[in-house]
Amino acid sequence: MGSYQTDKVRNIGIMAHIDAGKTTATERILFYSGRVHRMGDVDHGTAAMDWMPQEKERGITIQSAATTCTWKKHKVNIIDTPGHVDFTAEVERSLRVLDGAVAIFCAVGGVEPQSETVWHQADRYGVPRIAFVNKMDRQGADYPRVLSMMRDMLGAKPLSVMLPIGSGSTFSGIIDVISGKAVHFDETSFGATYTLDDIPDAYAGQFDEARHILWESAAMLEESAIEEYFQGTLTPERVRKLLRKGTINGDFVPVLCGAALKNIGVQQLMDAIVDWLPAPSELPPISGHLKDGTPVLVERSIMEPFTALVFKVQCDPHLGRLAFMRVYSGQVEDGQHVFNNRTGNRDRLTRLVRMHANKRTHLDSVMAGDIAAAGLKDVATGDTLTFQDNQLVLESIQFPEPVMQMAIEPMSTSDEKALEDALAELTSEDPSFRVGTDEESGQTLIMGMGELHLEIIASRIQREKGVEVRTGRPQVSYRESISVRTEGTGDFSKSIQGRGHFGHARLMAVPVATGVEFVNMLADKDFPHHYIEAVQRGVMGSVGAGPLAGYPVDGIRVELLEAQLHETDSSDTGYAYAGAMAFRECLRQGKPVLKEPVMRLDIICPSDYVGEVIGDVNARRGSVLNMEPRGEVQSIKARVPLAELFGYSSALRSLTQGRAGFSMQFSSYDRMAENITRGILEQMGILGLG
């Protein structure tokens, strides 16, 4: 593929709700760019980017897949991300290292739950976006409604640069608002060729309105452009350049439309990627810090020292442990040693490759702006790689906590070690997947983001690792908290190996919405800071198991109110123990409660079945947030405890004769009703609420 200057590189992600057409659009991009010579099909399991057996069988993307193609003399690195909520961690780590994104929306469904989730993830990382309204050929497609939903639900500023000609069965092409031409695609060439025609008279009004908004929005970016706009001399070429500036700055989101499956509008999307999404060199420097905490800014230049972030680890059956990395600055060659600033160890880059889904192309070197993979022995997601004389640490990646767990064991006791190794590999690949042990039964527990996530994990263990396993019924991962403000005191004084250890701490615990926060409220500002840190370590080391049933603690702010010194025996160990003792007393005295994960449910069902569906939601301890008509169907948004949603897919099909569909995403951990809490504790053999 050759080398490219940084300004000729685009690093983009394709993101959307499940079934919006991400992978189908990516397949067309690869076909039109010449990267593949035959279009794959998601439904038939032939899509190049969905290479896992589970992806082919289910017709969904499970792992983010990277590839590279060329368009208009630019190199485009693409990451196709999953759309299912159970695999949102894949989107998180991809957006962390991408420079731009294409948000795909279904013209019928519009802004769906996972669309919101990934959009706000992109907001968090400041990723410039363009949008593509797909499936304009489907019955019920409504382009203006999607734009309205983007404004209302995402807080976005959509700017139409394309308009559809017709919708549903009458959809036949698109209108390019900038050039003022209608675009019709040739079916015999799979849409590879198209013709530019005059805009049909029936769409002249829509075009004039869209052009006015587009020209005005572009002109507002520069004073000289405003003058040109009022003088009537603002040209399409100037508008295109202004659109690039506005997109990169986040002033608006250019919106295109089409039907990827019918091969309509994808080349215009590819043009938009190159024309309006940023090159690595156009973005601000990357922020990091040295080991001592000193903040550092890293210019995205090949002239700077080598700096890269590992955003994914994959255990390849042929290449071993493969680290996907984004190179932000400098250059590194295959076989060179790099420094891992987390472990403090040097490691040799072996088998430097560029990925195309699960296929690989060898590389001699990579430079600033590149996304590549390499064999590295001791590496984890979020690690910063540099040369040894540049001990810089980039901001790592935060992942959501698991909300569901189930027991797993090998069919044969002889496979116990193999299962242990398989689970270790999978936890290194997937930061949202955890492994633990049930203290009472001794069973191994796997923890993840939902039923499908755990089901896929079990399937991978059997297929990829060759270990036959049995699994239990998925269980909800609860949290414990307190319901009232309370204080606790910890006093520790003990001789250990002939040395005295003393610590005294008084804490106040306050219930909050989420997280565990430690705040130093000591009036004595001269109290040794390392003892305060020791108290904090003691507190944080005790959050793994609450007093009710041993679930992790969540939703507490801990304030250090008092700490005393001993003339001779004060020690870090003493204050760590004192902090832990005081915190445990707070948990016991704070009227502990259980918190359960609550999901946001988005249900699409025919109007005839709305009553039955709402009644079922209420029976599952849920609450309906709102309802909205969408053509002949109703969109119902609700919040329902995860514990009540096992088997919901089958129940919904039964209620609506198979005509309804739903999706869900994690909303929050909410306090559980006392009678429900009591029932759970009784099931576990724990009586009373403590």
Side-chain angles (χ1 to χ4, degrees):
M1 189 167 285
S3 60
Y4 286 76
Q5 295 297 322
T6 308
D7 64 342
K8 297 291 185 182
V9 174
R10 301 290 183 270
N11 293 311
I12 64 131
I14 311 289
M15 63 183 199
H17 186 84
I18 190 170
D19 202 34
K22 297 179 308 302
T23 303
T24 300
T26 306
E27 290 294 317
R28 269 62 185 168
I29 289 173
L30 296 177
F31 176 76
Y32 296 134
S33 66
R35 188 67 177 82
V36 299
H37 302 292
R38 185 176 180 179
M39 289 184 190
D41 186 283
V42 173
D43 293 335
H44 292 91
T46 57
M49 303 304 284
D50 285 349
W51 56 271
M52 293 176 64
Q54 294 88 346
E55 292 175 321
K56 294 178 182 294
E57 292 169 358
R58 298 168 187 268
I60 62 171
T61 301
I62 293 170
Q63 283 196 350
S64 54
T67 188
T68 303
C69 64
T70 57
W71 187 252
K72 292 172 64 173
K73 298 182 179 180
H74 286 68
K75 179 172 75 173
V76 183
N77 295 316
I78 302 172
I79 297 182
D80 179 26
T81 65
H84 196 286
V85 64
D86 282 20
F87 309 107
T88 191
E90 290 286 317
V91 186
E92 185 80 26
R93 59 179 167 193
S94 299
L95 288 173
R96 170 65 177 82
V97 299
L98 292 171
D99 303 327
V102 177
I104 296 183
F105 299 96
C106 172
V108 180
V111 177
E112 298 172 276
Q114 189 66 0
S115 308
E116 276 191 87
T117 299
V118 298
W119 189 272
H120 293 314
Q121 285 174 310
D123 280 341
R124 192 162 61 250
Y125 292 115
V127 178
R129 277 146 281 177
I130 58 178
F132 183 72
V133 180
N134 192 26
K135 301 191 176 184
M136 282 302 308
D137 58 321
R138 281 188 56 188
Q139 199 65 32
D142 190 337
Y143 182 70
R145 187 175 66 82
V146 177
L147 299 181
S148 177
M149 294 176 77
M150 289 178 66
R151 282 188 288 268
D152 297 342
M153 298 175 66
L154 304 178
K157 297 177 182 176
L159 194 59
S160 289
V161 295
M162 298 286 168
L163 296 172
I165 300 175
S167 65
S169 59
T170 64
F171 179 63
S172 60
I174 56 178
I175 295 171
D176 185 334
V177 178
I178 299 178
S179 68
K181 292 291 184 181
V183 189
H184 291 99
F185 295 81
D186 176 32
E187 293 184 7
T188 61
S189 67
F190 301 103
T193 59
Y194 52 86
T195 58
L196 301 179
D197 305 309
D198 292 334
I199 296 172
D201 293 340
Y203 293 90
Q206 290 182 36
F207 165 72
D208 288 341
E209 181 183 357
R211 188 182 188 278
H212 171 72
I213 295 172
L214 180 57
W215 251 244
E216 186 176 61
S217 300
M220 294 301 291
L221 298 177
E222 293 182 5
E223 286 188 18
S224 60
I226 294 175
E227 293 180 12
E228 293 173 28
Y229 174 66
F230 284 118
Q231 292 170 1
T233 59
L234 189 59
T235 65
E237 291 72 22
R238 180 95 157 99
V239 168
R240 289 184 188 278
K241 291 179 180 178
L242 290 167
L243 279 175
R244 177 176 188 79
K245 179 179 180 180
T247 304
I248 294 174
N249 292 343
D251 296 307
F252 43 67
V253 179
V255 183
L256 301 89
C257 60
L261 192 62
K262 294 291 182 66
N263 311 312
I264 297 176
V266 179
Q267 292 99 316
Q268 285 68 31
L269 174 61
M270 297 165 73
D271 289 343
I273 290 170
V274 168
D275 292 343
W276 298 325
L277 291 178
S281 55
E282 294 177 284
L283 293 174
I286 291 293
S287 60
H289 60 85
L290 301 178
K291 290 285 187 179
D292 62 2
T294 305
V296 177
L297 293 179
V298 181
E299 293 291 339
R300 302 170 184 250
S301 167
I302 192 174
M303 305 305 295
E304 296 292 319
F306 168 70
T307 308
L309 182 73
V310 175
F311 66 95
K312 179 174 179 174
V313 175
Q314 184 174 307
C315 297
D316 189 283
H318 305 292
L319 299 181
R321 197 174 179 79
L322 207 56
F324 288 70
M325 60 184 177
R326 165 66 196 270
V327 182
Y328 285 107
S329 63
Q331 183 174 359
V332 68
E333 296 180 354
D334 188 21
Q336 269 191 283
H337 283 85
V338 295
F339 187 76
N340 186 326
N341 286 293
R342 176 182 62 86
T343 64
N345 297 327
R346 293 173 73 233
D347 204 346
R348 184 170 175 268
L349 284 178
T350 57
R351 305 177 299 278
L352 194 59
V353 294
R354 175 170 288 120
M355 301 298 294
H356 172 59
N358 62 333
K359 299 180 176 62
R360 300 160 290 273
T361 303
H362 179 262
L363 296 173
D364 293 323
S365 65
V366 289
M367 62 184 71
D370 271 334
I371 292 177
L376 287 168
K377 293 178 182 177
D378 184 16
V379 71
T381 298
D383 284 356
T384 302
L385 304 179
T386 61
F387 293 142
Q388 193 157 0
D389 57 354
N390 175 32
Q391 298 188 17
L392 171 74
V393 179
L394 299 177
E395 180 187 350
S396 192
I397 311 171
Q398 302 300 317
F399 295 100
E401 290 292 317
V403 298
M404 188 172 287
Q405 63 186 31
M406 70 180 183
I408 189 169
E409 61 183 25
M411 297 286 282
S412 168
T413 54
S414 61
D415 284 335
E416 286 180 356
K417 181 64 168 63
L419 176 60
E420 184 180 321
D421 293 343
L423 291 173
E425 279 194 6
L426 291 171
T427 50
S428 71
E429 287 186 16
D430 184 352
S432 64
F433 171 62
R434 310 280 172 81
V435 178
T437 304
D438 186 312
E439 292 186 5
E440 291 187 5
S441 66
Q443 286 181 302
T444 299
L445 300 176
I446 56 175
M447 293 164 272
M449 302 307 298
E451 281 185 274
L452 180 60
H453 188 194
L454 297 180
E455 189 180 321
I456 294 297
I457 290 289
S459 173
R460 291 188 63 192
I461 290 171
Q462 296 190 139
R463 289 188 170 185
E464 297 174 20
K465 316 302 180 185
V467 181
E468 292 293 324
V469 295
R470 283 190 296 263
T471 57
R473 184 177 183 271
Q475 302 289 325
V476 174
S477 180
Y478 297 105
R479 297 288 186 267
E480 297 190 26
S481 189
I482 57 175
S483 56
V484 297
R485 181 188 298 256
T486 185
E487 289 189 17
T489 302
D491 286 296
F492 184 84
S493 182
K494 191 173 183 179
S495 177
I496 302 175
Q497 294 183 341
R499 180 176 183 267
H501 291 274
F502 171 85
H504 167 85
R506 183 166 62 89
L507 306 176
M508 175 178 286
V510 182
V512 295
T514 185
V516 179
E517 180 187 6
F518 181 87
V519 183
N520 175 22
M521 303 291 287
L522 288 182
D524 182 2
K525 301 303 180 185
D526 295 325
F527 194 85
H529 188 67
H530 61 98
Y531 290 154
I532 297 173
E533 290 180 339
V535 174
Q536 182 175 0
R537 283 198 303 274
V539 170
M540 293 305 180
S542 302
V543 301
L548 285 179
Y551 289 113
V553 174
D554 176 64
I556 298 180
R557 185 177 74 249
V558 181
E559 299 175 354
L560 175 58
L561 302 180
E562 177 187 301
Q564 295 178 1
L565 288 170
H566 189 278
E567 290 182 2
T568 58
D569 292 349
S570 290
S571 70
D572 287 354
T573 300
Y575 286 99
Y577 274 110
M581 293 163 65
F583 182 60
R584 285 196 289 268
E585 183 179 340
C586 287
L587 292 178
R588 288 192 299 269
Q589 301 299 325
K591 295 186 178 180
V593 293
L594 281 187
K595 298 173 73 175
E596 63 180 338
V598 177
M599 312 300 285
R600 200 187 95 178
L601 216 58
D602 194 348
I603 308 164
I604 302 293
C605 78
S607 301
D608 296 347
Y609 300 99
V610 167
E612 290 88 340
V613 170
I614 290 177
D616 184 63
V617 166
N618 292 333
R620 295 173 185 270
R621 297 193 286 124
S623 58
V624 174
L625 302 177
N626 62 37
M627 293 171 51
E628 176 190 345
R630 294 188 184 178
E632 298 178 357
V633 300
Q634 287 280 342
S635 168
I636 302 171
K637 297 187 187 301
R639 294 180 83 249
V640 183
L642 177 61
E644 304 293 338
L645 289 174
F646 292 111
Y648 184 66
S649 179
S650 299
L652 185 64
R653 283 197 300 268
S654 177
L655 281 173
T656 62
Q657 297 183 2
R659 296 173 60 192
F662 81 100
S663 60
M664 66 178 179
Q665 62 177 328
F666 173 73
S667 175
S668 62
Y669 270 95
D670 289 2
R671 179 176 170 179
M672 195 184 299
E674 187 172 316
N675 63 317
I676 305 296
T677 301
R678 192 176 298 279
I680 289 173
L681 295 179
E682 288 176 352
Q683 286 179 11
M684 299 176 66
I686 304 170
L687 300 178
L689 294 179

